[in-house]
Amino acid sequence: MAVDMRLPTVKNSMSLSVSAAGRKDLVVPGDVITSDTGFMRGHGTYVDEDKLTASVAGEVQRVDKLICVRPLKTRFNGEVGDVVVGRITEVQQKRWKVETNSRLDSVLLLSSVNLPGGELRRRSAEDELTMREYLHEGDLISAEVQSVFSDGALSLHTRSLKYGKLGQGVLVQLSPSLIKRQKTHFHNLPCGASIVLGNNGFVWLYPTPRQQEEEAGGFYTSLEPVSLSDREVISRLRNCLLALAAHKVLLYDTSVLYCYESSLQHQVKDILKPEVMEEIVMLTQQKLLEQES
Amino acid sequence: MAGLELLTDQGYRLDGRKATELRKVQARMGVFAQADGSAYLEQGNTKALAVVYGPHEMRGSRSRALHDRAVINCQYSMATFSTAERKRRPHGDRKSTEMSLHLKQTFEAAVMTQLFPRSQIDIYVKILQSDGGNYSVCVNAATLAVIDAGIPMRDYVCACTVGFVDETPLADLCYAEESGGVSSLALALLPRGGQIALVQMDARLHQDHLETLIEAAMTACKGVSKVLDEVVRQHLQEASVLSRE
């Protein structure tokens, strides 16, 4: 088998504009943002001897009197209504613990899932005992943020047929800041696969289901073999996502689809080569600009 | 002292530096994609790699969790090939446990742990090549990694070792100087406020000299902080340009 090997090289970022050099709104920890006391202290700042000081490296954002510093890279800060993809880490009494790339594990209460058998009913002691049959450690789920606790932990719910256990597919873990907030984060792409763009940066790629299984309540997972063509489409999409992420392009259905289309002339395994990656991302950005205007 | 002359009459040291001169510092942030934050730092011939995970849920024993702030977990290790003599260092030996503890104390002084109750921040540092000043290089590398992870800090933490030879403080000792019987002192500083995060000295020194030695260490730390500041700003600009387009 031919193996492609190369020496490490310095990544030359494309079209690094000089205009951005020396920007004033970039701060590092310990930088004094303002010594004026009329401002409010937001995230990423602290007050040291009456001076508002940055505590993270990033961009200063000012909304009226509130000053925040947004770091370039952080863990997921959940908000109510966010769609997340997560992994079950623990089964406890009446709740599951879910790893969602946030600062504390999220909680999925037994009372906020749709149990198989449909219909609303009381959660009995029996349900508590059989929790592990629905979801056990290592399972992937999609869910929505129901509320945020005072310590920053998230409470999730899967009270809709859209959400629930994820079956066969591919998980891609990216930075949460790359996901564009949209009305819907579930897309059936015309190329033959479906995508869940979790706000927490976890992206789930799976073959488009043929018909909706309604009665299972989101706990049914299909174990049918996935055809080779579907798997190829999914791996191509995965590589496209990684390419877009490497060049910090916002991810949403259109950008992913355009990237997929631009990558069609290359083999799936070649997409991750730096020069091919750059070419594909350039094409995608061109298409996005054309579509905007 | 036998043999080695650490400071010549002309004021030059073994490697040709002046007494207050630092070694060349080169650093890169964001070297790993998988970790929350990472950095690589070279200070002369000492090279270190730092990786930060977190803040995340307590892993392992949950009883260690603190209800009002985050726990900082540090792990220091040295590669087998890092010293002149090839040596396997099993995980958790005396020396590295002590170093881990020092790193932990240093970063507890700088990281705003009270913002992340009941969570944990992991800092892993590995020395790839050891040529003196391991502690300070680890602190400098870990600072960059923590900043890369977007974890709030009061200020940079910069560290430097200084030695005392012929009534002169020498900044940023290399291995030959450290092993040459110099009484050395390691100091970690929050440069803007001038607060000291950690001082360590296990050699004998006359009380009268301590002040000059600490003074020299603080100046050296401020020198290091200037270099780190440049690295962070450079990284910030590159990254923000990419994300803006």
Side-chain angles (χ1 to χ4, degrees):
Chain A
M1 196 179 84
V3 180
D4 186 52
M5 275 169 112
R6 54 186 73 197
L7 290 167
T9 48
V10 178
K11 197 170 106 187
N12 54 334
S13 45
M14 47 182 186
S15 63
L16 197 111
S17 57
V18 193
S19 62
R23 271 173 53 193
K24 281 280 164 56
D25 58 341
L26 296 177
V27 290
V28 298
D31 269 359
V32 174
I33 300 170
T34 174
S35 40
D36 190 345
T37 46
F39 289 100
M40 282 187 338
R41 183 175 64 90
H43 288 296
T45 60
Y46 70 102
V47 177
D48 181 34
E49 294 165 356
D50 286 341
K51 290 190 205 107
L52 198 64
T53 315
S55 63
V56 292
E59 224 178 300
V60 179
Q61 288 179 328
R62 197 166 294 193
V63 181
D64 288 334
K65 289 273 169 191
L66 179 73
I67 294 181
C68 305
V69 181
R70 203 169 58 93
L72 294 171
K73 199 160 82 171
T74 40
R75 295 218 145 209
F76 171 56
N77 282 316
E79 286 164 33
V80 174
D82 280 351
V83 174
V84 297
V85 173
R87 193 182 288 279
I88 306 284
T89 55
E90 215 179 312
V91 184
Q92 296 177 334
Q93 286 236 314
K94 292 187 187 168
R95 74 187 66 196
W96 288 276
K97 282 280 178 143
V98 191
E99 153 66 26
T100 52
N101 196 30
S102 56
R103 291 191 293 248
L104 289 165
D105 279 359
S106 308
V107 171
L108 177 65
L109 287 169
L110 179 61
S111 57
S112 46
V113 300
N114 274 347
L115 289 180
E119 297 321 303
L120 291 170
R121 60 186 172 91
R122 278 184 63 92
R123 306 289 185 262
S124 58
E126 203 173 318
D127 287 327
E128 275 177 43
L129 295 173
T130 53
M131 273 173 69
R132 198 172 252 112
E133 277 172 28
Y134 305 133
L135 294 170
H136 64 87
E137 291 89 345
D139 279 351
L140 281 165
I141 57 159
S142 62
E144 191 180 290
V145 177
Q146 190 169 36
S147 60
V148 183
F149 294 123
S150 57
D151 60 355
L154 306 176
S155 170
L156 307 177
H157 80 92
T158 61
R159 273 281 165 95
S160 160
L161 290 176
K162 291 191 291 190
Y163 307 124
K165 190 165 162 179
L166 300 172
Q168 302 188 81
V170 169
L171 178 74
V172 190
Q173 299 187 12
L174 305 165
S175 166
S177 53
L178 289 174
I179 310 288
K180 188 175 180 181
R181 281 174 189 280
Q182 281 192 298
K183 224 193 279 175
T184 171
H185 286 256
F186 290 77
H187 302 284
N188 292 334
L189 300 176
C191 53
S194 296
I195 190 168
V196 184
L197 290 154
N199 282 113
N200 59 343
F202 287 14
V203 179
W204 180 249
L205 295 163
Y206 60 107
T208 309
R210 280 186 199 84
Q211 77 277 344
Q212 242 57 31
E213 299 88 357
E214 302 234 329
E215 69 285 349
F219 287 96
Y220 171 77
T221 50
S222 158
L223 292 175
E224 271 174 54
V226 181
S227 68
L228 181 66
S229 57
D230 276 349
R231 279 180 289 170
E232 256 169 11
V233 169
I234 288 174
S235 26
R236 184 178 289 275
L237 277 170
R238 175 203 174 256
N239 287 357
C240 285
L241 284 172
L242 291 179
L244 288 173
H247 289 273
K248 307 265 191 315
V249 180
L250 272 190
L251 299 176
Y252 54 107
D253 50 343
T254 326
S255 68
V256 174
L257 198 62
Y258 282 170
C259 187
Y260 178 87
E261 284 165 6
S262 337
S263 78
L264 281 173
Q265 49 188 313
H266 298 282
Q267 272 195 304
V268 175
K269 62 171 185 179
D270 290 340
I271 298 174
L272 292 179
K273 287 181 184 164
E275 66 274 5
V276 178
M277 195 142 74
E278 200 165 307
E279 183 196 324
I280 291 171
V281 174
M282 285 285 233
L283 276 173
T284 313
Q285 278 172 332
Q286 252 169 26
K287 281 187 187 174
L288 284 172
L289 279 176
E290 275 167 28
Q291 188 234 1
E292 266 172 37
S293 57
Chain B
M1 196 190 59
L4 284 173
E5 189 186 26
L6 292 173
L7 192 67
T8 61
D9 299 335
Q10 286 78 31
Y12 287 103
R13 289 153 66 179
L14 289 173
D15 48 6
R17 285 183 286 158
K18 290 276 196 183
T20 55
E21 209 175 329
L22 300 173
R23 290 178 288 179
K24 185 178 183 185
V25 179
Q26 278 182 307
R28 220 145 38 98
M29 290 167 77
V31 285
F32 294 124
Q34 192 66 47
D36 286 302
S38 55
Y40 170 75
L41 186 125
E42 290 179 11
Q43 195 161 335
N45 282 328
T46 308
K47 297 167 186 175
L49 202 50
V51 180
V52 172
Y53 291 91
H56 60 72
E57 183 87 14
M58 292 296 295
R59 305 265 179 252
S61 60
R62 184 156 300 166
S63 54
R64 284 191 303 128
L66 303 169
H67 70 279
D68 59 341
R69 62 196 163 95
V71 172
I72 294 185
N73 170 34
C74 286
Q75 238 171 61
Y76 165 88
S77 60
M78 281 173 88
T80 34
F81 48 81
S82 60
T83 47
E85 184 191 355
R86 196 180 170 86
K87 189 175 166 195
R88 233 184 71 80
R89 291 176 180 78
H91 178 72
D93 61 340
R94 231 8 123 65
K95 229 171 99 190
S96 58
T97 315
E98 190 192 355
M99 191 73 102
S100 305
L101 205 67
H102 285 155
L103 285 174
K104 182 182 156 146
Q105 283 170 356
T106 313
F107 280 92
E108 270 172 354
V111 174
M112 304 175 101
T113 46
Q114 73 279 6
L115 296 175
F116 310 110
R118 299 200 288 118
S119 46
Q120 172 185 350
I121 298 170
D122 293 319
I123 303 176
Y124 300 111
V125 202
K126 184 146 203 147
I127 291 282
L128 298 179
Q129 190 175 327
S130 159
D131 184 33
N134 287 356
Y135 166 75
S136 31
V137 175
C138 282
V139 170
N140 297 336
T143 304
L144 292 183
V146 170
I147 291 172
D148 185 42
I151 296 172
M153 283 172 98
R154 266 173 270 278
D155 198 351
Y156 293 106
V157 213
C158 300
C160 205
T161 46
V162 282
F164 199 73
V165 173
D166 302 340
E167 313 282 299
T168 332
L170 305 183
D172 198 7
L173 301 180
C174 66
Y175 179 74
E177 289 167 330
E178 258 184 3
S179 56
V182 182
S183 47
S184 71
L185 173 138
L187 184 134
L189 187 78
L190 302 173
R192 249 166 276 244
Q195 294 117 324
I196 295 172
L198 188 115
V199 198
Q200 189 206 357
M201 184 165 81
D202 17 56
R204 285 164 65 96
L205 184 82
H206 195 280
Q207 194 183 338
D208 297 348
H209 298 317
L210 186 65
E211 201 142 316
T212 48
L213 201 57
I214 288 186
E215 204 62 41
M218 282 168 87
T219 343
C221 286
K222 280 177 186 156
V224 173
S225 93
K226 271 197 198 118
V227 182
L228 296 189
D229 195 59
E230 228 159 81
V231 173
V232 174
R233 280 181 204 277
Q234 183 70 33
H235 175 79
L236 206 57
Q237 247 154 34
E238 276 167 21
S240 69
V241 165
L242 268 179
S243 58
R244 179 141 299 198
E245 277 171 350

